[in-house]
Amino acid sequence: MTGKGRLGQWIADNPIIIMAAALLLTVASLHYTQQIEMQGMTTEGMVGKDSALYQLYDHLYVEKFATESIAVLIEADDVTKPDILRSMDKFSQKMRMAPDVLAVTSIADIVADTEMSESGIRKIPTQERVDEILAYPSNLPAANAMMPDKKHTMLSIDLPVSLTESQLREIYAETSGQVKMAEFPPDVIITVTGEPALMQSITDEMAESNGPILALAGILMIVALLISFNHVRWSLLPIPIVFLGVTWSFGAMGFLHIPFTMVSMSAFPVLIGIGIDYAIQFHNRIDEEFVKSGSPRQAVIETVSNVSKPVMIALIITAMGFISLLTSSVPMTRDFGLLCLIGLFLCYLSALFVGVTLLYLMKRRNSSQRSDEMADSLSNVQKDTAIGSIIEKVSDTCIQRWHLVLAVALFLSLVGIYADTQVQVETDFKNYVPQDLPPLIDFRHMSDIFGGTDTLDLIVQADDITDPNTLHWIDDFSSYLKESRDQIYGYESIASLVKQYNQGVIPEDTTEIRAVIDELPAGVLSRHLDGHDTALIKLSVGQALTNLGAEGTDRLIKEIDKDIAWNPPPPGVSVRETGDAVVMTTVISALTQGRTEMTLLGLVLIFIVLLLIYRDLIKALLPVLPMLVVIGWMGGVMYQADMKYSPLTACLGSLILGVGSEYAILMMERFYEELSRIGEPLEALRVSSKRIGSALIASGLTTIFGFAALISSPFLITNNFGTVTVLAIIFALLTTFTVFVVLMYRMEIQRAVVENAKYELQKALKLIARGG
């Protein structure tokens, strides 16, 4: 007995061991599922930690200067009224005592601190005195930044960026409680917002939406199987089998510490969509073999012998498409690829061992009803043939008009490949999330009032930042950028702070400069200077980065780099751009250039692996060529639909390779199995269509319905991914039964012609040799 036959025999002989192992693995998976870490659109998810960009961003910018702020938006007829300022001051004092709060700033603090320095008593004075204090030249810049008009002001609570999710929740709870305790007047509107609040809300929404999406995917897949897979008994069994594999994948995610992000969450519908095909192929074949032999044991052995290899090859080729994702410079894309790789293997194990074992046990239990089942099965085979005959007619038509089919497919693919180069990339995470999310609405309301909070950041390093020449350059260069770049309307730096606290001038002596710096509030100083060797220049651009878009932001960053080159700092001083905008620009480049490279790498890997498996050039090329067509078509669709690439849809090329090549390989394997038995290509193609066509349609329809559940996601990034994936699978099925069968048939005919010519040539050479 062959190795594959021995595996089938072992499965039939050890159902208890298999089910016990599956149960233990499921229990372990449920345990490790509890350890899955939720992660929003963080910098760590977008940029590799070992990159120079991340090292600069994390070790210099984040560790030394970066904070995240809870913004408390205060709205009233006049926010400078003393009773409102007293409530603000009371709130500020309480929040300063809260754990992990670095600083609290507000116009109330400006008024109270100024009054303290002049009268010796920290209090909120009369309205006339408040107006006088806020109009002081030394207070005016800070007051204007926090109060764009008399009806709005913002109180900022600065926090370390290293806080955990639970710590942030505690601070938010404390903030909400202290807002009530501060006893603001009834006509004052208080809104707690900011980036941390938004990210926390997004994380919560992700967790809440994932369950309903998976449930909807299951319901839609039931409908698909009832429609297209009703010719077998227990037609819904593939669903629990694939969900078992997905459960194991959740466990692997927790065990390997793969974070749960907006990108990785979409791996599970991918696993359901592809993994159910494995269960359907085993189910379809074991039902067919049972009709032939009537023996459950023999059906298992034949099924494992004939299906495990083609499905394993399909799995390997699908894996090659996802392996290419591991080369991405975007960590969340790599996590998506890794999760898909692991999950597909686990879904295959679930289908091969648990699925086949359950079918064997159920058929053995009902073997006494074999005669009735045989009659039902024979009737169902006729349905199968009816479904297959539709595919057969389509294939025959395509083969007869193969010139037209290939010409149209190639033309549309080339047009789509060109159009794909014009598709934009969306990297503003706020556009990925539900637009009616209350914290997002609050955040945008704040941005509309204060003109946005976008900044470009410059890290300045020197042996001594407090050197007068260095401070003069920082001040002059910042002023130059504000005057020469329309997008930059303000700046903050240690130089501007020294001027502000020294009557508008920078001292010409280092000792005097350090004396001024020593008088600066610690919370203000820490955001602009670290020690005496590292400083930060913050260029305020309002909403310019959002308005400019990805390409405009990239151009602005490059222009500032040119400005640094044309206006170099003093010798021994280095200046480098960093911050969120620079990170996102790098991500854009990785997504636009990296996705093409990942797709090409996937194509090459699939071809090489197929060549190693089959050692046949035609069989290696056949599954690859139709996928090029589908990739081109999808590029055209995204351009026409005005869709944008995201970290998720950037994986589309690899996904098409994975899903599409699976259908092609299963079709090709069955074709060559029938060809070896029949010997005539066209007849073998017809038989293959009848035998496996309905299973591929059931698999494809179930996959389409599964991915369609993603369209219901409140997250636009997931919604778009579901839409384009559904279209990609439809195109993959279409090319499998049109372009692929044409290529397979024509190449096999050409192979026969070449082999016949070789035979005739050898025959002629032998005759010549004999004649000689």
Side-chain angles (χ1 to χ4, degrees):
M1 184 174 287
T2 64
K4 289 181 290 185
R6 285 196 294 271
L7 178 59
Q9 186 179 31
W10 186 87
I11 291 174
D13 290 341
N14 298 278
I16 295 177
I17 294 177
I18 291 172
M19 299 308 293
L23 179 61
L24 289 175
L25 186 55
T26 303
V27 171
S29 297
L30 293 174
H31 168 72
Y32 282 108
T33 297
Q34 308 303 314
Q35 300 181 21
I36 294 176
E37 302 169 1
M38 304 292 294
Q39 185 183 89
M41 297 292 286
T42 61
T43 304
E44 289 82 355
M46 305 294 278
V47 182
K49 290 187 177 181
D50 56 347
S51 66
L53 174 67
Y54 183 84
Q55 297 298 318
L56 173 63
Y57 177 85
D58 186 64
H59 297 319
L60 287 179
Y61 176 69
V62 173
E63 289 185 5
K64 295 180 182 294
F65 302 108
T67 59
E68 53 185 355
S69 299
I70 296 176
V72 180
L73 178 61
I74 302 169
E75 300 175 88
D77 290 336
D78 185 353
V79 294
T80 65
K81 289 181 178 179
D83 56 342
I84 296 177
L85 292 180
R86 290 188 187 98
S87 296
M88 290 174 60
D89 187 51
K90 180 179 179 181
F91 174 78
S92 296
Q93 296 300 325
K94 291 292 184 181
M95 289 307 302
R96 285 191 181 93
M97 294 186 289
D100 299 312
V101 171
L102 299 177
V104 181
T105 55
S106 69
I107 58 171
D109 293 307
I110 294 176
V111 171
D113 290 343
T114 303
E115 185 69 11
M116 173 70 180
S117 64
E118 295 187 1
S119 68
I121 301 174
R122 194 180 191 282
K123 64 177 182 178
I124 301 296
T126 62
Q127 183 69 59
E128 292 76 16
R129 177 60 176 157
V130 167
D131 294 338
E132 180 185 349
I133 291 173
L134 291 176
Y136 282 2
S138 59
N139 291 335
L140 201 58
N144 288 340
M146 289 184 281
M147 187 180 65
D149 55 60
K150 283 294 187 75
K151 293 186 176 182
H152 303 91
T153 187
M154 180 176 64
L155 186 149
S156 180
I157 304 170
D158 294 338
L159 309 170
V161 294
S162 58
L163 293 182
T164 64
E165 183 178 342
S166 61
Q167 289 173 318
L168 277 175
R169 289 185 186 278
E170 290 177 3
I171 293 176
Y172 276 118
E174 179 71 13
T175 302
S176 300
Q178 291 300 335
V179 164
K180 296 177 182 177
M181 297 291 291
E183 299 177 338
F184 282 92
D187 60 336
V188 177
I189 301 174
I190 308 294
T191 305
V192 179
T193 183
E195 290 272 4
L198 181 58
M199 294 307 299
Q200 190 174 77
S201 179
I202 290 172
T203 301
D204 292 341
E205 185 70 19
M206 284 167 52
E208 292 175 8
S209 65
N210 193 52
I213 289 174
L214 288 177
L216 179 61
I219 293 171
L220 291 176
M221 289 163 66
I222 289 174
V223 174
L225 288 176
L226 289 175
I227 292 173
S228 60
F229 202 52
N230 58 5
H231 62 278
V232 301
R233 296 193 66 182
W234 308 295
S235 59
L236 298 182
L237 183 62
I239 292 178
I241 295 302
V242 74
F243 272 93
L244 180 64
V246 169
T247 300
W248 294 349
S249 303
F250 269 112
M253 190 178 188
F255 179 75
L256 297 174
H257 303 289
I258 300 173
F260 192 87
T261 66
M262 277 191 282
V263 175
S264 63
M265 70 183 287
S266 298
F268 294 102
V270 172
L271 297 179
I272 293 172
I274 300 177
I276 200 167
D277 188 38
Y278 304 153
I280 287 175
Q281 294 303 323
F282 281 110
H283 195 146
N284 185 68
R285 189 57 179 262
I286 202 171
D287 195 75
E288 180 184 326
E289 294 296 338
F290 185 69
V291 171
K292 291 180 183 178
S293 66
S295 167
R297 180 184 178 82
Q298 188 61 32
V300 168
I301 294 172
E302 289 298 322
T303 296
V304 174
S305 298
N306 291 296
V307 178
S308 60
K309 178 187 173 184
V311 174
M312 174 56 79
I313 292 173
L315 168 62
I316 293 172
I317 299 309
T318 302
M320 291 302 104
F322 289 121
I323 281 178
S324 63
L325 297 180
L326 302 182
T327 64
S328 172
S329 61
V330 182
M332 63 172 59
T333 301
R334 294 201 300 267
D335 290 338
F336 174 79
L338 177 61
L339 188 56
C340 286
L341 284 173
I342 296 170
L344 287 177
F345 179 70
L346 292 174
C347 287
Y348 175 79
L349 293 182
S350 176
L352 173 59
F353 290 101
V354 180
V356 170
T357 298
L358 285 176
L359 285 168
Y360 168 68
L361 292 174
M362 288 187 290
K363 287 187 178 297
R364 188 177 67 176
R365 183 178 180 183
N366 293 280
S367 60
S368 59
Q369 304 169 359
R370 177 179 176 276
S371 58
D372 295 336
E373 185 176 338
M374 287 285 290
D376 292 341
S377 297
L378 288 172
S379 173
N380 287 333
V381 168
Q382 293 177 352
K383 296 180 186 177
D384 188 10
T385 304
I387 295 173
S389 66
I390 298 175
I391 300 172
E392 178 190 349
K393 289 178 182 178
V394 171
S395 301
D396 280 346
T397 302
C398 292
I399 288 172
Q400 291 170 9
R401 302 180 181 179
W402 65 275
H403 293 90
L404 179 62
V405 170
L406 294 183
V408 171
L410 180 61
F411 173 75
L412 292 177
S413 180
L414 292 176
V415 171
I417 289 172
Y418 171 76
D420 182 68
T421 62
Q422 309 301 311
V423 178
Q424 300 295 312
V425 178
E426 180 64 81
T427 56
D428 185 353
F429 80 91
K430 298 182 192 68
N431 293 332
Y432 295 152
V433 304
Q435 298 303 292
D436 59 351
L437 203 64
L440 179 60
I441 295 173
D442 292 340
F443 184 85
R444 285 179 169 160
H445 176 57
M446 181 188 69
S447 297
D448 290 339
I449 294 171
F450 288 88
T453 57
D454 294 342
T455 63
L456 290 174
D457 303 293
L458 305 178
I459 289 287
V460 183
Q461 288 184 290
D463 291 337
D464 186 1
I465 293 290
T466 61
D467 182 274
N469 292 330
T470 302
L471 285 189
H472 278 297
W473 180 88
I474 290 175
D475 187 54
D476 293 342
F477 184 68
S478 301
S479 178
Y480 165 77
L481 288 178
K482 180 183 177 182
E483 294 172 3
S484 62
R485 301 292 172 196
D486 294 337
Q487 302 88 348
I488 299 173
Y489 68 82
Y491 58 87
E492 292 180 14
S493 69
I494 185 62
S496 62
L497 286 175
V498 169
K499 288 177 64 176
Q500 179 182 339
Y501 283 82
N502 194 54
Q503 300 178 342
V505 296
I506 297 175
E508 296 300 327
D509 181 73
T510 300
T511 303
E512 293 181 30
I513 290 174
R514 292 192 178 186
V516 174
I517 290 174
D518 290 341
E519 296 298 321
L520 296 177
V524 174
L525 179 63
S526 64
R527 294 198 295 270
H528 299 88
L529 182 68
D530 182 75
H532 287 159
D533 60 358
T534 309
L536 180 71
I537 303 175
K538 295 186 75 69
L539 304 174
S540 301
V541 294
Q543 294 180 315
L545 301 185
T546 302
N547 297 332
L548 285 173
E551 294 183 1
T553 301
D554 186 43
R555 284 195 298 270
L556 177 59
I557 290 172
K558 290 178 179 177
E559 288 300 316
I560 293 176
D561 281 335
K562 291 179 182 178
D563 290 334
I564 295 172
W566 282 104
N567 300 274
V573 180
S574 69
V575 182
R576 290 176 289 177
E577 289 190 79
T578 186
D580 295 333
V582 176
V583 169
M584 295 309 295
T585 302
T586 305
V587 171
I588 292 169
S589 176
L591 292 177
T592 52
Q593 299 174 10
R595 61 185 169 85
T596 303
E597 295 168 357
M598 288 187 297
T599 301
L600 291 175
L601 176 61
L603 283 169
V604 172
L605 287 175
I606 288 173
F607 173 73
I608 291 173
V609 171
L610 286 174
L611 195 60
L612 290 174
I613 291 173
Y614 291 117
R615 301 185 183 279
D616 186 314
L617 185 61
I618 290 178
K619 288 185 177 182
L621 276 174
L622 276 175
V624 173
L625 297 178
M627 295 310 100
L628 284 171
V629 173
V630 177
I631 290 170
W633 290 0
M634 284 308 304
V637 167
M638 291 194 68
Y639 176 77
Q640 286 296 322
D642 198 26
M643 292 182 174
K644 293 184 179 181
Y645 277 111
S646 68
L648 196 51
T649 50
C651 309
L652 183 61
S654 299
L655 183 64
I656 291 172
L657 294 177
V659 177
S661 59
E662 178 188 6
Y663 298 142
I665 287 169
L666 292 173
M667 183 73 174
M668 183 177 71
E669 281 283 340
R670 191 59 184 260
F671 168 74
Y672 281 107
E673 180 185 336
E674 298 299 335
L675 183 62
S676 64
R677 186 176 61 85
I678 298 172
E680 203 283 312
L682 188 58
E683 183 61 26
L685 189 59
R686 288 171 176 165
V687 173
S688 300
S689 298
K690 293 177 182 178
R691 297 283 174 82
I692 200 174
S694 59
L696 288 180
I697 291 294
S699 163
L701 191 61
T702 308
T703 304
I704 289 168
F705 277 38
F707 276 109
L710 292 179
I711 300 175
S712 69
S713 172
F715 289 88
L716 184 63
I717 183 174
T718 309
N719 180 294
N720 284 349
F721 179 68
T723 301
V724 298
T725 305
V726 164
L727 291 174
I729 296 168
I730 292 173
F731 288 159
L733 277 174
L734 181 62
T735 56
T736 298
F737 298 124
T738 55
V739 177
F740 179 70
V741 295
V742 167
L743 290 172
M744 188 164 58
Y745 177 74
R746 296 305 308 176
M747 284 189 175
E748 200 54 45
I749 291 296
Q750 192 63 33
R751 187 209 298 270
V753 171
V754 172
E755 289 180 353
N756 186 59
K758 286 182 179 179
Y759 172 75
E760 292 296 333
L761 179 60
Q762 291 174 355
K763 185 177 178 181
L765 290 175
K766 287 180 181 179
L767 289 174
I768 292 171
R770 288 176 184 174

